[in-house]
Amino acid sequence: PWRNKQLKLFWTNDKERYANYIIEQKLPVSSLRSTIEGYDNNQNEIQVERSSDDSLCIQVYTSKIRSRLVDLIYETQKTLLTKIKDKTLEELSQLHEQFESSERQLRPIPTDLSQLSKALVLWKKLMEDKPEIEARLTPIEEKFKLLDDFMMVFKDDEIKRRQTMRSAYDSFVTMLG
């Protein structure tokens, strides 16, 4: 039945909706890890389950069913990991953009009182937001650790942005003074 185009479309959309739902919940990384590890456990349980019970008279050949279930669980897990990766990279890009934008706006020396006033307002806002910005770093790092544990692949520029997140934050803090 899963070969039917309508069912395949439904299943694909359902995986996407489920993954989006999980991401929208803004669960802690430990909950995301538990969910993903649950998929691994389910796959393993299905693969090692005996195909029949000796106490029954009828034996049912279930290896194709088990194989397809494992595939579906794997696809769902992969979809969720991909959504986590996309969201984490989006959060990382937002942080880097905030650091770069702040620097672009605060680095030039003001030439008049209007520019000085604008820079001072921005500086005060960034100083107020600094604890919240710092609090965003660790969850992003934890999500990257989770993605590494499940062997998600990143592009070179994504790796570079990830590796420079802390140093970019340190430069941001230094700039604020």
Side-chain angles (χ1 to χ4, degrees), residues 27-142:
L27 299 170
V29 176
S30 60
S31 295
L32 294 173
R33 180 177 296 282
S34 295
T35 300
I36 294 166
E37 288 173 348
Y39 289 125
D40 280 341
N41 294 337
N42 290 338
Q43 290 175 51
N44 292 334
E45 288 175 15
I46 290 169
Q47 288 174 334
V48 299
E49 189 173 308
R50 291 182 48 189
S51 61
S52 66
D53 187 344
D54 294 338
S55 66
L56 299 175
C57 297
I58 300 173
Q59 287 190 341
V60 178
Y61 180 70
T62 60
S63 69
K64 284 185 179 182
I65 295 169
R66 288 192 327 227
S67 174
R68 187 61 186 139
L69 280 173
V70 168
D71 289 346
L72 291 172
I73 291 169
Y74 173 77
E75 291 169 11
T76 303
Q77 179 186 41
K78 190 71 168 172
T79 300
L80 180 55
L81 283 166
T82 300
K83 292 288 183 183
I84 292 170
K85 175 183 172 185
D86 292 345
K87 183 65 175 171
T88 304
L89 289 172
E90 178 185 318
E91 292 168 356
L92 178 65
S93 290
Q94 289 171 351
L95 270 179
H96 274 283
E97 176 55 34
Q98 185 173 16
F99 299 154
E100 293 163 8
S101 171
S102 300
E103 185 171 347
R104 277 193 309 273
Q105 293 174 352
L106 291 178
R107 281 287 179 210
I109 297 173
T111 57
D112 60 33
L113 289 177
S114 174
Q115 289 178 350
L116 179 61
S117 174
K118 287 178 186 177
L120 187 56
V121 168
L122 175 61
W123 178 82
K124 283 182 181 179
K125 179 172 180 358
L126 291 172
M127 289 299 286
E128 290 171 4
D129 293 346
K130 192 168 83 168
E132 179 217 318
I133 294 168
E134 184 175 15
R136 292 168 53 195
L137 299 176
T138 300
I140 290 173
E141 290 170 333
E142 289 174 350

